[in-house]
């Protein structure tokens, strides 16, 4: 059985930054990922990373924009710390080797993003996440960190009131393994694949979040699901907000710049929840194109600007839609993009389980509240990934030795054997498809009570069916059928938490829009939703929002 001081699960930006911080603090660190680290979903982030470095901008304005963008549900102490760390974090990443785009004077180039008072989104063309990921991955080589690529998380072992390590299987061999660790950091990213129309990669199945939930970790604010307004029609490939930041314009089938109706001051650069609702409203009221979409026009920007600053968008549009954005509008509609909710943590990444930490999109520090601003997610992975790594390293210096027991592995081995031995049962692909159809249809941008209750009944039926899931492929080398079966179980459990939270929150706030409660209700709902797993399903409780200086007011763009 393997042993390390700190084990980090997930090797995207949050996981790599956490591992680097813990290693620099002198701990023996392992980094576990079901993918090669450079294939992590962090590399799909296009538009940029926020930092108030411009002469006309300020940290104070970044704080206010983030609080407002969260629809006042973000914890303001966390937001203040986050925004204060933005400038130093960007500089650090440049020192790690990230090549950012530059202005004519040689300074870091910045573009406008939705919900921001100033252009503060620093970028590397439209491949910012990949540029950051490559820079930090190369810097990992300066430390001694044990890498376990292609290993899949199965469980977190909690014993004697603390996390003791994890169990996994090696995808190369399907062998069950255990890693004892004094501290465990979950950084496995999002779980958007419960939706059919999503910008998330196929691997984004919330493995760490679901496993932590089963281990007793609290989940926070799971009802808040962000839809990105501009995903490529049919394929759902992300069309970065940077396209609108560079001057792109949304138009309906009548040729109208329809955002004048919804955000007259900032138009196409309103926050994502506002723009997504606007597009859906245009379509519902008959002003969209047949098939339910609108156009994103870039043509007026000129060939040189489009092809130099939006290289990936050009490639995606030409390859996957047969559209040349230099001469043609891009057909777009909203798609699930980001989860504001996750494993509940404080600013140091600590959960309610001693020795268990979380960072990145898998965590909910409650930085984003009810709606995330574009450009804040890449920054979050680095700022709070580092904090989780430092806190875990400190905990590991004081904690006693961690121990796994033979029974920990035996339980997982028995589960695997049951999957392989089952000749008749449910296909994981069929369950996944029905889950995605349910979430797309019933738990979308606009939420109706009867649809949410239908969704809850459907998800719970899928949970029952999942108990009889089978694996047809009997191979032990890179068994994708086995991985899919495990991922679907994680998605179904997390979908239940989202739906239960959405039913309970009888207001509209940020990305959560109830058609029967269309306004924000600060008197009753200025609070975080906390979900704890019980045999009967998620048990909800609530926690206060941290305020420092900004009192809630009407959110207008």
């Amino acid at each position: 059985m393997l042993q390390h001081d700190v084990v980090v699960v997930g090797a995207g930006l949050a996981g790599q930054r956490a591992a680097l911080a813990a290693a620099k603090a002198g701990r023996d660190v392992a980094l576990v990922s079901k993918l090669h680290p450079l294939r992590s979903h962090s590399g799909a982030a296009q538009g940029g990373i926020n930092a108030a470095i411009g002469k006309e901008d300020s940290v104070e304005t970044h704080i206010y924009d983030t609080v407002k963008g969260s629809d006042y549900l973000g914890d303001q102490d966390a937001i203040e710390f986050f925004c204060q760390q933005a400038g130093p974090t960007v500089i650090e990443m440049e020192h790690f080797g990230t090549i950012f785009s530059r202005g004519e004077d040689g300074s870091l180039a910045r573009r406008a993003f939705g919900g921001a008072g100033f252009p503060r989104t620093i970028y590397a063309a439209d491949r910012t996440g990949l540029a950051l990921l490559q820079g930090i991955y190369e810097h990992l080589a300066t430390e001694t960190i044990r890498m376990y690529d292609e290993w899949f998380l199965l469980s977190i072992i909690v014993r004697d009131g603390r996390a003791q390590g994890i169990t996994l299987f090696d995808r190369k061999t399907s062998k069950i393994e255990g890693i004892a660790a004094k501290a465990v950091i979950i950084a496995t990213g999002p779980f958007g694949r419960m939706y059919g129309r999503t910008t998330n990669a196929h691997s984004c199945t919330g493995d760490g979040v679901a496993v932590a939930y089963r281990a007793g970790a609290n989940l926070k604010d799971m009802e808040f699901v962000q839809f990105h307004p501009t995903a490529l029609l049919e394929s759902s490939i992300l069309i970065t907000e940077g396209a609108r930041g560079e001057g792109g314009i949304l138009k309906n089938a009548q040729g109208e710049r329809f955002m004048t109706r919804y955000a007259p001051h900032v138009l196409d650069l309103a926050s994502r929840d506002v723009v997504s609702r606007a597009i859906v409203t245009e379509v519902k009221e008959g002003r969209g194109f047949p098939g339910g979409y609108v156009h994103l026009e870039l043509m007026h920007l000129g060939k040189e600007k489009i092809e130099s600053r939006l290289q990936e968008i050009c490639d995606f549009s030409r390859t996957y839609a047969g559209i040349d954005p230099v001469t043609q509008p891009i057909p777009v509609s909203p798609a699930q993009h980001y989860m504001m909710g996750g494993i509940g943590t404080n600013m140091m990444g600590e959960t309610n389980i001693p020795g268990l930490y979380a960072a990145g999109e898998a965590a909910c520090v409650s930085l984003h509240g009810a709606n995330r601003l574009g450009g804040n997610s890449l920054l979050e992975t680095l700022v709070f990934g580092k904090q989780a790594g430092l806190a875990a390293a400190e905990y590991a210096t004081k904690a006693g030795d961690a121990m796994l027991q033979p029974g920990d592995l035996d339980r997982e081995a028995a589960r695997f054997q049951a999957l392989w031995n089952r000749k008749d049962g449910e296909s994981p692909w069929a369950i996944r498809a029905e889950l995605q159809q349910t979430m797309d249809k019933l738990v979308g941008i606009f939420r109706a009570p009867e649809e949410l209750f239908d969704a809850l009944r459907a998800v719970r039926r899928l949970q029952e069916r999942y108990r009889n899931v089978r694996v047809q492929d009997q191979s032990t080398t890179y068994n994708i059928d086995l991985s899919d079966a495990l991922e679907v179980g994680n998605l179904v459990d997390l979908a239940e938490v989202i739906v239960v939270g959405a039913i309970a929150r009888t207001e509209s706030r940020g990305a959560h829009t109830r058609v029967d409660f269309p306004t924000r209700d600060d008197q009753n709902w200025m609070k975080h939703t906390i979900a704890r797993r019980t045999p009967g399903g998620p048990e909800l409780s609530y926690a206060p929002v941290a305020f420092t200086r900004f009192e809630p007011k009407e959110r207008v763009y």
Side-chain angles (χ1 to χ4, degrees), residues 25 55 86 100 103 107 111 132 289 310 366 385 422 424 426 453 457 482 491 502:
K55 293 180 180 178
F100 291 109
S107 62
R111 57 169 51 123
L132 291 165
F289 289 90
L310 300 170
S366 202
R422 191 172 291 136
D424 296 311
E426 294 282 351
F453 281 109
R457 285 188 286 269
L482 175 60
L491 289 172

Side-chain angles (χ1 to χ4, degrees), residues 43-49 98-103 108-113 121-132 239-243 245-246 304-315 378:
Q46 298 168 345
I49 179 171
T98 302
I99 301 175
F100 291 109
S101 296
R102 296 280 175 175
L108 292 171
R110 292 166 291 133
R111 57 169 51 123
F113 251 46
T121 305
I122 296 157
Y123 59 93
D126 55 354
R127 297 183 175 93
T128 312
L130 184 60
L132 291 165
I239 302 298
T240 175
E241 194 165 314
E246 296 292 349
E304 181 180 354
K305 186 174 185 179
I306 295 170
E307 294 190 338
S308 63
R309 298 192 187 183
L310 300 170
Q311 303 161 9
E312 199 165 65
I313 299 310
C314 289
D315 291 343
L378 287 176

Side-chain angles (χ1 to χ4, degrees), residues 206-535:
D207 308 324
V209 181
V211 167
Y213 178 53
R214 295 184 197 118
N218 292 334
L219 304 187
K220 183 192 287 186
D221 290 342
M222 292 283 284
E223 63 266 36
F224 295 106
V225 179
Q226 182 169 84
F227 290 78
H228 197 288
T230 56
L232 197 60
L233 193 66
E234 296 183 358
S235 66
S236 300
I237 294 172
L238 177 65
I239 302 298
T240 175
E241 194 165 314
R244 284 172 284 134
E246 296 292 349
I249 295 171
L250 292 167
K251 288 188 178 179
N252 63 21
Q254 298 172 4
E256 296 176 306
R257 189 176 185 178
F258 58 86
M259 285 308 299
T260 57
R261 279 193 283 275
Y262 306 95
H265 302 295
V266 297
L267 302 172
D268 308 277
L269 287 175
S271 65
R272 290 175 176 175
D273 60 319
V274 173
V275 182
S276 292
R277 283 193 296 273
I279 292 173
V280 172
T281 300
E282 290 295 300
V283 171
K284 283 185 174 181
E285 294 182 357
R287 294 186 293 275
F289 289 90
Y293 64 93
V294 297
H295 276 161
L296 173 62
E297 293 188 359
L298 305 178
M299 303 90 75
H300 57 284
L301 302 179
K303 179 181 176 69
E304 181 180 354
K305 186 174 185 179
I306 295 170
E307 294 190 338
S308 63
R309 298 192 187 183
L310 300 170
Q311 303 161 9
E312 199 165 65
I313 299 310
C314 289
D315 291 343
F316 288 156
S317 299
R318 291 164 180 164
T319 302
Y320 298 105
I323 297 292
D324 185 351
V326 173
T327 59
Q328 299 169 281
I330 305 172
V332 296
S333 65
Q336 188 282 334
H337 180 61
Y338 188 89
M339 297 294 186
M340 272 71 76
I343 304 168
T345 73
N346 61 15
M347 286 188 282
M348 299 306 295
E350 297 169 325
T351 71
N352 59 300
I353 299 175
L356 180 63
Y357 299 78
E361 195 171 345
C364 180
V365 188
S366 202
L367 165 70
H368 308 302
N371 174 70
R372 176 178 69 82
L373 293 187
N376 274 351
S377 58
L378 287 176
L379 183 61
E380 177 196 14
T381 64
L382 299 170
V383 170
F384 291 112
K386 179 179 180 179
Q387 296 307 308
L390 292 172
E394 183 178 0
Y395 178 88
T397 64
K398 302 171 184 176
D401 290 339
M403 295 292 292
L404 299 188
Q405 297 177 358
D408 298 329
L409 301 188
D410 292 343
R411 278 191 298 273
E412 298 304 331
R415 180 156 69 114
F416 270 41
Q417 202 59 49
L419 285 170
W420 268 308
N421 290 345
R422 191 172 291 136
K423 302 305 181 185
D424 296 311
E426 294 282 351
S427 161
W429 279 100
I431 294 175
R432 182 193 289 253
E434 288 193 33
L435 175 65
Q436 291 175 340
Q437 291 165 8
T438 297
M439 298 300 286
D440 280 348
K441 182 179 179 181
L442 304 177
V443 196
I445 292 173
F446 289 98
R447 299 170 173 181
E450 61 276 9
E451 292 180 345
L452 291 174
F453 281 109
D454 285 346
L456 183 58
R457 285 188 286 269
V459 168
R460 287 180 169 166
R461 285 194 299 269
L462 292 175
Q463 287 178 319
E464 287 298 318
R465 289 171 55 187
Y466 181 77
R467 298 178 194 277
N468 198 38
V469 75
R470 61 176 167 78
V471 173
Q472 286 183 301
D473 187 355
Q474 297 292 299
S475 67
T476 57
T477 303
Y478 289 111
N479 188 329
I480 303 301
D481 201 21
L482 175 60
S483 299
D484 284 336
L486 296 170
E487 290 173 340
V488 168
N490 294 333
L491 289 172
V492 171
D493 282 353
L494 295 176
E496 181 188 27
V497 185
I498 289 173
V499 176
V500 169
I503 290 171
R505 186 172 285 271
T506 53
E507 67 159 353
S508 290
R509 184 186 298 270
H512 172 69
T513 303
R514 286 281 296 261
V515 297
D516 52 336
F517 294 96
T519 58
R520 196 178 77 194
D521 181 358
D522 291 342
Q523 182 175 351
N524 295 303
W525 287 105
M526 185 60 74
K527 55 189 178 183
H528 298 299
T529 305
I530 307 297
R532 182 178 68 87
R533 186 172 183 258
T534 73

Side-chain angles (χ1 to χ4, degrees), residues 35 162 167 320-321:
L35 305 168
R162 54 173 279 218
T167 65
Y320 298 105

